[in-house]
Amino acid sequence: MRVLSAIQPTGAIHIGNYLGAIKQWIDLQEKNECIFFICDLHSITIPYDPKEFQKNILETAITYLAAGVNPEKSIFFVQSKVKEHTELCWLLGSVTPVGDLLRMTQYKEKSKQFKKNLDAGILNYPILMAADILLYKANAVPVGEDQAQHVELTRTIARKFNQRFGKTFNEPKTILPKMGARIMSLTNPKKKMSKSMGPQNYISLFDEPEEIEKKVMSAITDSGKEIKYNPVKKPGISNLLVIYSLFSGKPIKELENFFNGKSYSFFKKSLSELLINSLEPFRRKRKELLLRETYIKETLNIGAKRAETIAQSTMEEVKSKMGLV
Ligand code: AQP
């Protein structure tokens, strides 16, 4: 199976990104051909600081490596270094219904969030994502729930292309984790944990112990005292239980029994200790990698060359089918 996934260099990678996406990548790379990249071209669709951009890309690369992406097993690179992504994006635009783009939940949310500078990039975001996936003819895309709709649209685009120009692309499947596909914000458990909602709403993989404790202890919880999983009535506690379960490997039922009759603050203290310990190896590896900038840049260059070979072959086929050569 060829597996493909990516993350934007828009800020600190949080435990939502980790549990929803990266954790699956690490398992998948053992038995599959994996392609992981930093989608810098997607992240310029919302306001960003060009002066900080390369630093953010390097930080994201460090996150991938610290979390366990193995560049000897997986192809690992920066999206803009392989120009075929944008080239295919333009070509796929001619088989993408505008109505489908306007229906995307992410577009609707981001167009509200950035209504003062709403550019076509936010609307076209899913076409570039379809190009990312189809360029490598990936079979499976491990993502969090928020991106599943975009993979669905990729299948539509692949189908429409095949109908019009002849069988070229397969339809990739979405791989969602059984639990953790949608980790919620610490400050508003009805919204997903998100980089762009600011550092108080998430725990970064690299947060220091004091920050983790402060954020967990002040996470929004619900009325009542019971530590019970009920996402509708108790979204705050339920979200914390999911995080606890995924980092400890203990089923939610076992946690409910263990914390039965204990206070929210006892539970939160225990969760912050668990997170401090679980995230310690990431903090340590990051510190080591910060001293190896040249190695990281070389690794990304090698990855881009490997990706380019596949991308160029697909583009030749696509252009030929479309009558462009
Ligand atoms: N809260 C989440 N729970 C589970 N999975 C999540 N993902 C994102 N948030 C959660 C998954 O992480 C991967 C990388 O995401 P991205 O960098 O492409 O950006 P995103 O989905 O837009 O994530 P953010 O944190 O919300 O970033 P901003 O605020 O910059 O838009 C994807 O597989 C995603 O599903």
Side-chain angles (χ1 to χ4, degrees), residues 10-29:
T10 38
I13 303 295
H14 51 71
I15 57 170
N17 302 131
Y18 177 70
L19 298 171
I22 305 178
K23 193 163 176 266
Q24 303 188 80
W25 304 356
I26 310 309
D27 298 335
L28 285 162
Q29 83 179 341

Side-chain angles (χ1 to χ4, degrees), residues 5-10 13-14 16-21 25 39 46 106 110 125 142-147 180-184 192-197:
S5 200
I7 281 198
Q8 300 185 65
T10 38
I13 303 295
H14 51 71
N17 302 131
Y18 177 70
L19 298 171
W25 304 356
C39 44
I46 55 172
Q106 179 181 280
K110 295 250 151 127
Y125 181 113
V143 284
E145 203 178 76
D146 61 316
Q147 292 298 328
R182 191 173 174 82
I183 299 294
M184 309 311 276
K192 76 161 192 139
M193 186 176 278
S194 170
K195 296 186 214 101
S196 53
M197 273 171 66

Side-chain angles (χ1 to χ4, degrees), residues 85-271:
H85 287 250
T86 39
E87 196 178 4
L88 183 58
C89 174
W90 179 257
L91 302 184
L92 295 180
S94 62
V95 289
T96 307
V98 176
D100 285 6
L101 295 174
L102 291 167
R103 268 196 294 279
M104 293 293 113
T105 307
Q106 179 181 280
Y107 170 70
K108 287 185 195 161
E109 282 172 4
K110 295 250 151 127
S111 55
K112 267 189 235 146
Q113 199 178 347
F114 300 105
K115 60 174 172 273
K116 289 208 178 111
N117 17 24
L118 186 60
D119 301 311
I122 297 181
L123 182 67
N124 292 335
Y125 181 113
I127 313 181
L128 181 57
M129 183 160 157
D132 294 341
I133 299 167
L134 300 178
L135 192 55
Y136 301 97
K137 302 194 175 183
N139 312 97
V141 188
V143 284
E145 203 178 76
D146 61 316
Q147 292 298 328
Q149 197 184 30
H150 290 163
V151 185
E152 181 65 51
L153 180 59
T154 300
R155 283 194 283 275
T156 306
I157 293 174
R159 232 176 1 256
K160 284 188 175 288
F161 188 97
N162 291 345
Q163 277 160 4
R164 198 151 146 209
F165 301 108
K167 172 86 177 122
T168 309
F169 300 118
N170 56 294
E171 293 183 30
K173 66 171 182 185
T174 309
I175 304 184
L176 283 179
K178 284 198 190 76
M179 203 175 31
R182 191 173 174 82
I183 299 294
M184 309 311 276
S185 158
L186 298 180
T187 51
N188 180 354
K190 292 198 173 138
K191 290 200 159 164
K192 76 161 192 139
M193 186 176 278
S194 170
K195 296 186 214 101
S196 53
M197 273 171 66
Q200 286 317 311
N201 101 99
Y202 62 71
I203 289 175
S204 143
L205 283 194
F206 303 134
D207 273 348
E208 292 295 337
E210 314 78 64
E211 290 171 285
I212 297 177
E213 185 171 359
K214 206 164 148 208
K215 288 182 189 177
V216 173
M217 294 313 283
S218 51
I220 298 289
T221 38
D222 322 282
S223 54
K225 288 182 182 160
E226 260 191 321
I227 298 174
K228 275 255 166 260
Y229 181 76
N230 184 336
V232 179
K233 291 198 180 136
K234 292 172 106 34
I237 279 293
S238 301
N239 187 41
L240 298 183
L241 273 168
V242 168
I243 297 172
Y244 202 122
S245 169
L246 288 166
F247 277 102
S248 66
K250 293 183 181 150
I252 290 198
K253 265 269 152 282
E254 187 181 324
L255 297 174
E256 284 175 340
N257 291 339
F258 180 78
F259 288 106
N260 185 20
K262 308 264 186 350
S263 67
Y264 280 174
S265 90
F266 179 87
F267 168 67
K268 284 176 160 181
K269 185 95 192 106
S270 172
L271 175 60

